Amino acid sequence: MNMSRARERLVVIGGDAAGMSAASQARRLKGPGELEIVAFERGHFTSYSACGIPYWVGGDVTDRDELVARTPEEHRARDIGLRLRTEVTELDLDGQRVRARDVDSGEESWTSYDKLVIATGARPIRPDMPGADAAGVHGVQTLDDGQALLDTLEGTRGRRAVVVGAGYIGVEMAEALIKRGYEVTVVNRGSEPMSTLDPDMGRLVHEAMEGLGITMVNDAEVTKILTGDDGRVRAVATQEGEFPADVVVLGIGVRPETALAKAAGLPLGPHGGLLTDRSMRVRGQGNVWAGGDCVEVLDLVSGQERHIPLGTHANKHGQVIGTNAGGGYATFPGVVGTAVSKVCDLEIARTGLREKDAHRVGFRFESVTIESTSRAGYYPNASPMTVKMLAEHRTGRLLGVQIVGREGAGKRVDIAAVALTAGMTVEQMTALDLGYAPPFSPVWDPVLVAARKASAKVRGSL
């Protein structure tokens, strides 16, 4: 501890889910007389839902402030020294201090710490090609990004939009732009949208997107973004042709924002994210923690490190970090890779491993796909649902589940997420005592129908 100060100082870099959850939890455990907390955020907002940005852009959420869980003023009222529009530019680990720059004035200063939390998040991937930084080209990761995109949409005369990439952000932004009255083309380098699914399940998403009026262009690599004489985007070019655009949204994905950590010599994983132990302490460091989209996490199914940028994980990381930084004890055991999304009324869910993940790790497995309904077939508004399940060869251990369907489909993946976390076999799953009534499911829930089929296939392979 720095003995020149009467109390410890916790410095937090990043003012969203992980960072401010850590700060808030640490404050619950230690009052201002014991622990000073200083948090740096380079944007205008704190503690907001980045996952909600597509719904704000699409008009489902009408007010930006609805996405803010806790305002800067609320954090400051809890004796958290929050400094907005302030970007940390350098870490001095030996000297236990950080250099920060005021984004508006350019003034720089050093702040010492006893404990440090790195929660710098992730940044949208911008392809290294001509025109990627042109006016009218947007990545969407923060509320500031969302506001910039809305400003462009409101100030653009043309109504043609191209979304580059068809992952979660790309698919959700395509729907949002359709709702705003744009003609939308999605250019996707993969064979089907949603690479987090196997291609046969991604095909169902493809069909739903085309049903919304979205033009899907698969197996297409963007080579450059063309601009007009005014410097604004006018088209997206691939080897096959050009797609006119008045606005371009990059939905290629995100990378961990770890430039600061890398420059300071902190350990990074294969995906560029910070490596931590189970307490979320950065490996090799005694007083530095990291969490949120800038870290890699343990996949409990594959046993490997993965980068999974989700708000659910970030908030849990923050709770663990804040508990440990505040003098308590907590750990984060890992994840099974659960995620849900939607395209209009089509719900998309996955957890565990895809086929290519299982092959890469070295698992032999059995795969089954079943068709069922969200409710008893005779009950009004029962809708179709497709469930795909992977089970390990011989042992029958559940490896992964993907679900695509209408209302009631997406959250069924939670059954599989619990089963994966518990290390259950598909045969054990068939005995799960799930709730049943005709308005909610068939007598055999679709997930259990898949488990029965997978169990039979495993037994048949012995």
Side-chain angles (χ1 to χ4, degrees):
M1 183 191 300
N2 187 332
M3 300 306 295
S4 66
R5 297 194 306 273
R7 54 181 177 164
E8 285 188 316
R9 177 182 290 157
L10 173 66
V11 167
V12 177
I13 308 173
D16 198 12
M20 299 317 292
S21 290
S24 297
Q25 178 65 5
R27 174 57 74 229
R28 291 186 190 100
L29 297 179
K30 285 192 173 181
E34 296 179 278
L35 181 69
E36 178 188 6
I37 302 176
V38 178
F40 296 99
E41 168 54 44
R42 64 185 176 190
H44 293 86
F45 308 97
T46 60
S47 301
Y48 57 87
S49 171
C51 303
I53 294 173
Y55 308 109
W56 169 39
V57 173
D60 297 302
V61 176
T62 57
D63 191 331
R64 179 185 66 198
D65 291 344
E66 293 178 47
L67 300 181
V68 178
R70 186 167 288 170
T71 65
E73 292 74 23
E74 290 172 318
H75 284 301
R76 289 168 180 147
R78 302 184 69 221
D79 290 300
I80 295 173
L82 178 63
R83 304 181 190 179
L84 290 177
R85 301 288 290 161
T86 308
E87 180 176 15
V88 174
T89 58
E90 184 180 349
L91 306 181
D92 177 5
L93 299 177
D94 292 333
Q96 293 196 180
R97 57 180 188 163
V98 302
R99 186 206 297 268
R101 177 178 62 85
D102 185 292
V103 174
D104 298 315
S105 70
E107 293 182 9
E108 294 190 338
S109 61
W110 287 95
T111 300
S112 60
Y113 65 81
D114 300 293
K115 298 176 179 178
L116 176 66
V117 176
I118 302 173
T120 44
R123 65 185 186 279
I125 297 172
R126 282 189 175 265
D128 183 13
M129 66 178 67
D133 295 319
V137 179
H138 293 266
V140 183
Q141 178 70 9
T142 67
L143 281 192
D144 290 282
D145 295 335
Q147 187 62 64
L149 174 59
L150 281 173
D151 292 343
T152 292
L153 295 177
E154 291 168 2
T156 300
R157 292 183 181 179
R159 311 301 292 176
R160 299 169 301 182
V162 172
V163 177
V164 181
Y168 291 109
I169 292 296
V171 166
E172 290 169 356
M173 290 307 304
E175 180 185 352
L177 292 165
I178 281 283
K179 288 182 176 180
R180 284 199 161 261
Y182 277 74
E183 298 176 20
V184 180
T185 299
V186 176
V187 180
N188 175 37
R189 60 190 280 179
S191 60
E192 296 291 355
M194 297 297 292
S195 62
T196 53
L197 305 176
D198 288 323
D200 55 334
M201 298 294 281
R203 180 68 193 177
L204 302 176
V205 181
H206 180 163
E207 293 168 357
M209 292 175 72
E210 289 188 331
L212 284 175
I214 297 168
T215 300
M216 281 297 308
V217 181
N218 290 319
D219 295 313
E221 188 83 36
V222 174
T223 56
K224 57 182 159 181
I225 296 173
L226 306 175
T227 57
D229 294 337
D230 58 358
R232 293 190 57 81
V233 61
R234 66 173 180 82
V236 170
T238 69
Q239 291 182 339
E240 289 75 24
E242 296 180 6
F243 300 92
D246 301 297
V247 62
V248 171
V249 176
L250 301 175
I252 306 171
V254 298
R255 290 195 180 102
E257 182 64 271
T258 51
L260 274 176
K262 183 177 181 180
L266 293 174
L268 304 182
H271 308 285
L274 275 158
L275 296 176
T276 69
D277 62 19
R278 289 202 171 197
S279 70
M280 303 307 299
R281 183 180 279 107
V282 175
R283 295 179 190 176
Q285 299 294 314
N287 61 342
V288 181
W289 290 263
D293 293 355
C294 66
V295 305
E296 298 189 12
V297 293
L298 175 65
D299 185 316
L300 296 174
V301 186
S302 70
Q304 298 181 341
E305 303 290 341
R306 293 180 60 189
H307 178 238
I308 306 179
L310 289 174
T312 49
H313 302 165
N315 279 284
K316 292 171 186 174
H317 294 168
Q319 287 290 307
V320 170
I321 292 169
T323 298
N324 291 317
Y329 173 73
T331 61
F332 183 78
V335 303
V336 294
T338 308
V340 293
S341 187
K342 65 182 282 293
V343 181
C344 195
D345 65 342
L346 186 76
E347 299 181 3
I348 308 157
R350 56 96 64 203
T351 189
L353 307 182
R354 300 164 296 179
E355 289 191 3
K356 67 179 182 180
D357 300 323
H359 282 304
R360 185 181 66 248
V361 175
F363 284 123
R364 288 183 64 189
F365 61 89
E366 308 296 339
S367 172
V368 299
T369 302
I370 65 100
E371 305 287 339
S372 186
T373 55
S374 58
R375 300 168 175 167
Y378 56 81
Y379 195 87
N381 299 318
S383 58
M385 184 186 312
T386 303
V387 180
K388 182 173 183 177
M389 184 171 288
L390 274 61
E392 187 177 14
H393 180 68
R394 295 180 66 87
T395 71
R397 180 167 71 104
L398 180 67
L399 295 179
V401 171
Q402 300 164 41
I403 304 175
V404 177
R406 260 64 190 184
E407 182 183 2
K411 287 295 284 179
R412 271 186 164 88
V413 79
D414 290 341
I415 303 169
V418 172
L420 279 169
T421 303
M424 295 180 70
T425 67
V426 288
E427 185 172 359
Q428 288 172 329
M429 288 180 67
T430 64
L432 287 173
D433 185 14
L434 304 183
Y436 160 71
F440 303 108
S441 75
V443 172
W444 281 90
D445 188 270
V447 174
L448 299 192
V449 173
R452 287 179 66 184
K453 187 173 181 180
S455 180
K457 196 167 182 181
V458 168
R459 287 196 304 270
S461 68
L462 294 177

